[in-house]
């Protein structure tokens, strides 16, 4: 018996998947191929039970109504049985807005005329349950295949138990958030590691991650997966603040005061000022994602790179402290971080984080990962001289690249731009810090 492509309401479609192989024994209504056309994707079911003996098409082929797609062996008993039990397949197509369209094909055969039987069955709207077959759109099957998910473990909420996009999204989210999830059941979704034997290519050395690296990697992966990040980039003119900073350090040295004022201190003060003006940046999202906790205190974490990994001590009540006091506090944090003497309380209570790569260098910008339960983080890169036209000539200007990452569930793009503009306004002329 030869199987032809039924009339699915479009002139020509492309074969995107062949779901069976030659020699496979299939059941009635089991999907044979997936086709796409006119922004729609659908599966073509088998008209009868039997064994596939020949496949006429390949992936990428263009087919139309009546095109021969496969050949199968069936016996007369199976045909009569399937005629009594056959039902019209609900072929759902995934469109741009995720609306589902029900297409009801009419199957035909060169050897057996079943058109009238199926048409009558469609007209009677007889739909039967098939527990052996999982109802899901081709899009859902692709997602399940990509993440190695068994669709039998997902309860469909669509019509007649069909698995829809939200079902598979919720399944993945539940695994990630489940308090009882283990590495074994989450690894197919999140893990990118492998067990390749690299030693067969040459000499290797295995080094165990430090305790800080293990803790950080787990948290960073969770934050990157669960938080919809947006990062905005800009540059700040720090020419004047650098002149002022250098002058103040010279005065402190002349007075034998062993404190060094860094640009980071001014960034701390500017961020504290902006957090007061844009309080959503100084908040946390509740676990049920229904409320936002806006904090009335300004505690800012500073990411410090150490030989054992990155640590983030927290400067508390930054808005109430002066430049000299903050400079001293940062110096003490740096000493404790490099000697491994930071305490747990030193790294708790943060509202916002600054990651400063300026002293190391590297590229112009980077994407810092939000340090949950905070909702935003500011990245600082290495400053550089830039030629800027001032209506008469080019002048050298010291520019500081910055990167602002934030949780898009809480912060919108407009507020992101306002945050950067306010920081730039205050750092370009630090007199604005006292306004």
């Amino acid at each position: 018996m030869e199987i032809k492509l039924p009339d699915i309401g479009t002139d020509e479609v492309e074969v995107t998947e062949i779901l069976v192989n030659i020699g496979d024994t299939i059941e009635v209504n089991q999907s044979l191929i997936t086709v796409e056309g006119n922004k729609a994707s659908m599966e073509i079911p088998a008209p009868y039970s039997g064994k596939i003996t020949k496949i006429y098409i390949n992936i990428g082929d263009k087919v139309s109504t009546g095109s021969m797609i496969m050949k199968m062996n069936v016996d007369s008993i199976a045909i009569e049985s399937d005629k009594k039990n056959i039902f019209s397949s609900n072929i759902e197509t995934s469109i741009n807005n995720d609306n589902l369209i029900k297409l009801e094909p009419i199957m035909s055969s060169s050897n057996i005329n079943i058109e009238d039987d199926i048409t009558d069955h469609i007209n009677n709207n007889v739909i039967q349950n098939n527990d052996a077959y999982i109802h899901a759109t081709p899009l859902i099957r692709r997602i399940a295949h990509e993440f190695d998910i068994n669709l039998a473990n997902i309860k469909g909420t669509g019509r007649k138990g069909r698995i829809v996009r939200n079902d598979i999204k919720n399944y993945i989210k539940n695994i990630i958030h489940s308090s009882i999830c283990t590495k074994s059941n989450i690894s197919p979704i999140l893990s990118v590691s492998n067990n390749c034997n690299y030693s067969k290519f040459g000499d290797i050395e295995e080094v165990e991650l430090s305790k800080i690296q293990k803790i950080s990697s787990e948290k960073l992966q969770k934050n990157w997966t669960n938080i919809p990040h947006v990062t905005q980039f800009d540059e700040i003119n720090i020419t004047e603040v650098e002149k002022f900073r250098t002058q103040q350090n010279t005065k402190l040295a002349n007075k034998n005061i062993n404190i060094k004022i860094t640009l980071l201190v001014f960034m701390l003060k500017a961020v504290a000022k902006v957090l007061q003006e844009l309080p959503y940046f100084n908040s946390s999202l509740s676990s049920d994602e229904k409320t936002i906790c806006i904090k009335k205190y300004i505690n800012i974490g500073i990411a410090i790179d150490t030989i054992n990994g990155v640590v983030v001590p927290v400067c508390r009540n930054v808005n109430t402290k002066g430049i000299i006091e903050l400079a001293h506090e940062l110096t003490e944090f740096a000493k404790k971080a490099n000697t491994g003497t930071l305490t747990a309380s030193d790294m708790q209570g943060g509202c916002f984080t600054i990651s400063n790569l300026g002293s190391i260098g590297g590229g112009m910008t980077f994407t810092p990962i939000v340090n949950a339960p905070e909702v935003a983080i500011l990245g600082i890169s290495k400053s550089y001289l830039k030629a800027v036209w001032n209506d008469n000539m080019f002048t050298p200007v010291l520019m500081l690249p910055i990167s602002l990452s934030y949780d898009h569930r809480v912060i919108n793009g407009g507020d992101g731009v306002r945050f950067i503009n306010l920081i730039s306004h205050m750092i370009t002329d630090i007199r604005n810090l006292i306004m």
Side-chain angles (χ1 to χ4, degrees), residues 86-88 104-108 113-126:
I86 196 167
F87 57 87
S88 60
E104 299 171 328
I106 299 177
M107 309 302 296
S108 64
N113 185 6
I114 61 170
E115 182 174 336
D116 291 339
D117 292 328
I118 297 181
T119 302
D120 291 341
H121 210 75
I122 291 173
N123 292 336
N124 291 333
N125 293 319
V126 178

Side-chain angles (χ1 to χ4, degrees), residues 17 137-151 154 165 168 171-172 186-192:
E17 286 180 293
T137 66
L139 174 63
I140 297 303
R141 295 186 185 279
R142 288 195 190 93
I143 295 174
H145 176 74
E146 181 180 351
F147 291 105
D148 194 22
I149 296 172
N150 185 354
L151 290 177
I154 302 177
R165 183 177 293 190
I168 201 164
Y171 177 79
I172 294 174
I186 201 171
S187 59
I189 296 175
L190 297 181
S191 178
V192 295

Side-chain angles (χ1 to χ4, degrees), residues 69-109:
I69 58 176
M70 292 183 189
K71 188 175 183 179
M72 63 187 295
N73 283 340
V74 296
D75 56 53
S76 58
I77 297 177
I79 292 175
E80 291 301 320
S81 175
D82 290 340
K83 278 186 177 182
K84 295 178 181 179
N85 296 296
I86 196 167
F87 57 87
S88 60
S89 299
N90 292 326
I91 301 174
E92 293 183 352
T93 63
S94 187
I95 318 264
N96 292 341
N97 61 359
D98 290 341
N99 288 332
L100 297 178
I101 297 178
K102 177 180 171 184
L103 301 177
E104 299 171 328
I106 299 177
M107 309 302 296
S108 64
S109 167

Side-chain angles (χ1 to χ4, degrees), residues 323-336:
I323 296 294
I324 300 297
E325 185 179 359
L326 288 172
H328 176 72
E329 192 170 341
L330 287 181
T331 300
E332 292 302 309
F333 275 147
K335 289 179 181 178
K336 294 172 74 173

